[in-house]
Amino acid sequence: MAIFLTADSRVLVQGMTGSEGSKHTARMLAAGTNIVGGVNPRKAGASVDFSGTQVPVFGSVADGMKATGADVSVIFVPPRFTKDAVIEAIDAGIG
C-alpha cells in the first residue's frame, strides 16, 4: 500500500509529545510536511515548539480535525496503544 501526501495535506501526529513522535515531527517539519497539530489527551491545549514552529496539541483526532481541517494522521505511540490510536483515527473519519 502506498500513501501519498500532497502540498495540500494537513497532518496530525498522534503521539507527537513522546520521544519518537517529537523526533519524527521535527524531521517531517524540516522536510516541509504541513504538520497542523498533535494529539495527546493529557496535554490538550498545550503547544510544542519545533525550532520556532508552534504546533498545537489536541485531546483527540476529532478535535484536531475540527480545528485544523486535518486529513492525514501519522501514529507514533507505544505498541500497546497502537490499536486504540488507529481506531480513534478511523472513528474520527480521517481520510
Side-chain angles (χ1 to χ4, degrees):
M1 177 174 85
I3 298 173
F4 297 98
L5 298 179
T6 69
D8 298 323
S9 295
R10 302 176 60 79
V11 181
L12 280 177
V13 182
Q14 291 177 259
M16 180 183 77
T17 60
S19 62
E20 289 298 311
S22 63
K23 175 177 67 175
H24 290 292
T25 299
R27 289 178 174 175
M28 289 185 288
L29 285 167
T33 304
N34 186 16
I35 305 291
V36 296
V39 178
N40 182 322
R42 292 174 296 188
K43 297 183 181 178
S47 65
V48 180
D49 179 60
F50 291 96
S51 299
T53 300
Q54 294 292 320
V55 181
V57 181
F58 299 97
S60 69
V61 173
D63 291 344
M65 289 174 62
K66 183 177 177 182
T68 67
D71 58 355
V72 176
S73 173
V74 60
I75 300 172
F76 295 103
V77 299
R80 69 179 184 266
F81 300 125
T82 303
K83 180 180 176 183
D84 289 337
V86 170
I87 290 171
E88 178 184 354
I90 292 168
D91 286 349
I94 199 132

